[in-house]
């Protein structure tokens, strides 16, 4: 509860005081410290100000000031005493015996408990290890990537340490607190509005000069702060020397060296946060970054004007004044709420004009130069660089190869080929095991359950539908394993670097390439990752083309069709699909840049972090987190869609037809498929393919499960035909009948088993190339008997290009703010898929 919430005559006990700088110091000096009782004496006629009694003297506070003081009321104390399960039985008895007649003591106890809750916001540059510290402290599994823009939204975590509860918020990585990107605005607003108790500024010790620029801006905000000097092991290994204790005194910020990858210094870091929170750290003394006499004079004049307009309570007036002098548009909009006549803005304009005449440069540039001048001056006293050792030697040697003018592109394609080769071939073994398991489950369900709709639902709908998708979990995990390694190692930034020229020609820049590559895993986080792109035009175009990146949800469909028709060239076909998506993304981006999204692109500025060997734990955590998402989708949307598709294919009049194939054609699903079949006919698709593609609007994996349900009817039809033939041959001799029955059983077994293994000792690649039937899933065999290879390739292209899943469509709306762009993406991708598939099938039909 806030002090402002108490009514006249109420009592409260102070828990903590938020706010910043001089305001907070003044309030504390007035006696509003933890544990002190406060009485509400009187509210003014207009409810502002309010008179309080504390430490036997009366004080008047405006309501805005009272809102920054957290208190415990009598009602809260009584409720806590009765219901709080965290209080031990002995302590509860003690409370009831001692303070039943002393409500003030009870409130002080609860105030003490609540005051041990510390809200900490993690702020830092991209790649500084901020999320690693968050993961270690809060025991969460957020992904840690060695490139900018991994954290594109705040992450929250809670943990207990030394009788304190820490509420951590991992904010997006940002280089400054300006208004050039959504991350910068997000971080700034969180600090101003949420008012965390302590800011944890994570700084990369190996790149300290650039990281300290953000530190100086946070200092301007007059907040309590602790610095984690992270990756300190790299600084020590380089031979550089840093007197961080002296640097702490110069900045007025306590500094703790840490190495997040192994947890070194984390306990000491949170010990320091507790000290700062409890106001008992000697290094935590507030300073101001001196910008020089000419700038400081204008900051002071603008601060006085802000005080006159009532801004002293909202935020640090110094920070607001500096941002206004930097022509920060977001701050100008904020200012207009309390300054409708623009008096402060007019003063700012006059001060800026006078400065330009006096110094011959603009204020924004001068303020930036002054901050870097302060940083360089501080580091000159405390930092000694090892000039004998080239600490970036390994990074430079690797970059000489992977970013080489001639080798860069071939190396990138090679890495992607290796990724897809491993995805397809290494994943074949566990994929076979899972497929055998679901085949066995289906057979058991058919054998144990009585005939009827429930048996068909479980065996043909749930087991066949979900099983035909979950079988590809190993492939998904392998793909994410490789992508995670490239992200964590720093190679993703190099991929963006070598693609910058191509990106620029299509109206984007290299930073757009990282979300595109992330789209190989999932389009949704890739769309969210575009927040790191400062330029609105580039960001919007990137969002529009990300659905052309082949996400992992399409892999089940790819593997079914490729396994059936192109097993000998599986990795090559898979790579071709991914490259085709990227090529079409380039073309569409160029068209969008010229005709759809107007404006000029910003220059390419992106950090190339040093290469780091990812930890096994980090890579496995990231990979498994994606695997869990995939499994969660199996139990929700995929399961629901499989049941829905089965029901549409089962009804109406399921038992009124001679065989499953005839029944399926006359079902609701068959009716839908035959309705849209004329539209899809030019692409080479029959009604089953058309229905499968239609179901993929929910999630692309459902295309695979729908095909599993639809083509399983072919399996049943084939078996029934064999049995009918056998029964019609009553006049055959016993030997002939035995032979025929043996053939029937053999056919039945071959159809139901996923994989037929041979005893020949062969490598996986040899088996796949020479014995196609040995490593092909049952569903692939059935599809191969019903469609042509040309139609299959056309379908692969259609699946690659047509509309993103429903969740991605919603993500586009959230990131662009308009449903129009979501509908535009749906329409253009469907049109593009239809055109490309039609061209492929029609031209192929003429040539074959």
């Amino acid at each position: 509860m806030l002090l402002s919430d108490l009514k006249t005559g109420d009592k409260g006990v102070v828990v903590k005081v938020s706010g910043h700088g001089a305001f907070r110091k003044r309030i504390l000096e007035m006696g509003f410290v933890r544990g002190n009782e406060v009485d509400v004496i009187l509210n003014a006629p207009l409810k502002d100000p309010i008179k309080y009694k504390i430490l036997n003297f009366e004080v008047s506070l405006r309501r805005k000031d009272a809102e920054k003081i957290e208190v415990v009321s009598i009602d809260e104390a009584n409720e806590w005493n009765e219901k709080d399960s965290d209080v031990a039985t002995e302590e509860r008895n003690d409370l009831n015996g001692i303070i039943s007649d002393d409500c003030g003591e009870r409130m002080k106890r609860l105030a003490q408990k609540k005051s041990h809750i510390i809200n900490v916001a993690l702020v830092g540059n991209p790649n500084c290890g901020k999320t690693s510290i968050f993961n270690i402290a809060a025991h969460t599994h957020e992904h840690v990537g060695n490139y900018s823009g991994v954290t594109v939204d705040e992450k929250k975590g809670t943990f207990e340490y030394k009788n304190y509860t820490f509420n951590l918020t991992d904010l997006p990585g940002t280089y400054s607190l300006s208004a050039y990107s959504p991350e910068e605005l997000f971080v700034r607003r969180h600090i101003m509005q949420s008012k965390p108790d302590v800011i944890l500024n994570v700084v990369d010790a190996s790149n300290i000069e650039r990281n300290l620029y953000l530190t100086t801006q946070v200092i301007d905000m007059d907040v309590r702060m602790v610095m984690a000097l992270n990756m300190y092991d790299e600084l020590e290994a380089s031979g550089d020397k840093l007197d961080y204790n002296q640097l702490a005194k110069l900045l007025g910020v306590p500094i703790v060296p840490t190495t997040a990858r192994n947890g070194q210094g984390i306990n000491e870091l949170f010990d320091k946060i507790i000290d700062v929170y409890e106001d008992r750290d000697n290094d935590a003394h507030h300073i101001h970054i001196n910008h020089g006499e000419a700038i400081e004079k204008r900051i002071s004049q603008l601060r006085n004007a802000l005080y006159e307009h009532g801004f002293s309570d909202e935020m640090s007036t110094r920070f607001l004044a500096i941002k206004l002098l930097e022509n920060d548009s977001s701050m100008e909009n904020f200012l207009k709420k309390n300054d409708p006549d623009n008096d402060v803005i007019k003063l700012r304009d006059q001060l800026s004009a006078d400065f330009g005449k006096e110094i011959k440069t603009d204020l924004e540039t001068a303020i930036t130069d002054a901050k870097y001048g302060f940083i360089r001056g501080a580091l000159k006293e405390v930092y000694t660089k090892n000039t004998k050792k080239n600490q970036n030697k390994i990074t430079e040697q690797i970059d000489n190869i992977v970013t080489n003018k001639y080798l860069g592109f071939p190396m990138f394609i090679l890495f992607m080929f290796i990724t897809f080769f491993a995805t397809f071939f290494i994943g074949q073994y566990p994929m076979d095991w899972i497929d055998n398991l679901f085949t066995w489950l289906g057979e058991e369900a058919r054998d144990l359950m009585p005939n009827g709709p429930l048996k068909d639902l479980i065996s043909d709908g749930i087991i066949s539908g979900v099983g035909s998708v979950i079988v590809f979990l190993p492939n998904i995990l392998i793909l994410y394993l490789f992508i995670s390694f490239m992200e964590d190692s720093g190679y993703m930034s190099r991929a963006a670097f070598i693609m910058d020229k191509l990106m620029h020609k299509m109206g984007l820049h290299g930073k757009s390439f990282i979300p595109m590559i992330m789209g190989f895993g999932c389009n949704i986080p890739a769309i969210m990752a575009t927040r790191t792109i400062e330029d609105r035009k580039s960001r919007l175009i990137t969002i529009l083309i990300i659905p052309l990146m082949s996400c992992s949800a399409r892999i089940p469909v790819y593997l079914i069709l490729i396994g059936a028709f192109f097993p000998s060239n599986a990795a090559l076909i898979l790579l071709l699909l991914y490259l085709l998506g990227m090529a079409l993304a380039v073309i569409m981006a160029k068209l969008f840049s010229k005709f759809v999204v107007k404006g000029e692109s910003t220059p390419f500025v992106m950090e190339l972090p040093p290469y780091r060997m990812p930890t096994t734990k980090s890579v496995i955590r990231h990979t498994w987190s994606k695997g869990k998402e995939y499994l969660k989708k199996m139990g929700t949307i995929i399961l629901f869609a499989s049941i829905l598709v089965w029901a549409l294919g089962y009804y109406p009049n399921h038992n009124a037809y001679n065989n499953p194939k005839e029944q399926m054609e006359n079902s609701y699903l068959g009716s839908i498929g035959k309705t849209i079949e004329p539209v899809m006919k030019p692409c080479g698709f029959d009604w089953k393919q058309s229905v499968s593609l239609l179901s993929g609007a929910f999630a692309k994996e459902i295309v695979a499960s729908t095909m599993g349900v639809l083509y399983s009817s072919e399996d049943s039809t084939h078996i029934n035909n064999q049995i009918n033939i056998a029964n019609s041959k009553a006049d055959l001799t016993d030997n002939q009948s035995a032979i025929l029955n043996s053939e029937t059983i053999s056919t039945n077994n071959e159809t139901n088993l996923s994989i037929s293994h041979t005893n020949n000792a062969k490598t996986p690649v040899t088996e796949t190339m020479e014995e196609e039937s040995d490593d092909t899933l049952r569903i692939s065999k059935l599809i191969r008997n019903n469609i042509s290879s040309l139609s299959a390739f056309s379908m692969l292209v259609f699946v690659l290009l047509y509309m993103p899943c429903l969740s991605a469509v919603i993500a586009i709306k959230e990131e662009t703010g308009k449903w129009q762009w979501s509908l535009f993406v749906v329409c253009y991708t469907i049109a593009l898929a239809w055109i490309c598939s039609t061209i492929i099938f029609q031209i192929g039909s003429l040539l074959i």
Side-chain angles (χ1 to χ4, degrees), residues 87-122:
V87 179
T89 303
E90 294 80 2
E91 184 179 353
R92 186 182 303 281
N93 293 333
D94 180 59
L95 289 171
N96 291 331
I98 295 177
I99 66 173
S100 59
D101 297 324
D102 187 356
C103 189
E105 183 65 23
R106 185 182 297 124
M107 288 193 292
K108 289 180 181 180
R109 292 282 190 100
L110 180 55
Q112 176 72 17
K113 180 180 177 66
K114 295 185 72 172
S115 69
H116 277 218
I117 300 174
I118 308 177
N119 300 312
V120 180
L122 283 76

